[in-house]
Amino acid sequence: MAVFRIILTIVFIILSVALSAIILLQEGKSAGLGAVSGAAETYWGKNKGRSMEGKLEKITKWIAILFLVLAVVLNLNVL
C-alpha cells in the first residue's frame, strides 16, 4: 500500500502544479462598464464555451475536482 500512496502523492503534486499554471493562464473577470450596458454580449461572449478561455475554465473545474478528491483520499488513514 505504500507504493500506491507514493503514486497518489506524485499525481497530487502534478495536479497542484497544473492547477496553478492553468489558473495563471486565465484572464481576469473584470468586464468594465460594458457589462452594465449589455455591450459585453458579442459573438465571443455568447460562444465563450468554444473559445480557449472557455476550455481553460472547464479544465480548471475538472482539475480542481480531482485535486480535492485526491486530497481527501490521501488524508484517509486507510492507505
Side-chain angles (χ1 to χ4, degrees), residues 4 23 30 45:
F4 187 63
I23 288 174
S30 61

Side-chain angles (χ1 to χ4, degrees), residues 15-27 52-53 55-61 63-64:
L15 281 176
S16 64
V17 171
L19 187 63
S20 299
I22 290 175
I23 288 174
L24 289 174
L25 285 173
Q26 293 182 11
E27 296 178 10
M52 181 58 106
E53 183 68 24
K55 290 177 185 175
L56 282 176
E57 287 179 10
K58 290 178 185 176
I59 292 171
T60 303
K61 177 177 63 173
I63 289 180

Side-chain angles (χ1 to χ4, degrees), residues 27-68:
E27 296 178 10
K29 296 294 178 192
S30 61
L33 292 176
V36 176
S37 64
E41 282 298 318
T42 62
Y43 174 76
W44 300 111
K46 292 179 184 175
N47 291 321
K48 189 173 183 182
R50 297 179 183 163
S51 67
M52 181 58 106
E53 183 68 24
K55 290 177 185 175
L56 282 176
E57 287 179 10
K58 290 178 185 176
I59 292 171
T60 303
K61 177 177 63 173
W62 286 109
I63 289 180
I65 290 170
L66 286 173
F67 179 83
L68 291 174

Side-chain angles (χ1 to χ4, degrees), residues 7-22:
I7 292 171
L8 286 180
T9 304
I10 291 170
V11 171
F12 185 71
I13 292 170
I14 291 170
L15 281 176
S16 64
V17 171
L19 187 63
S20 299
I22 290 175

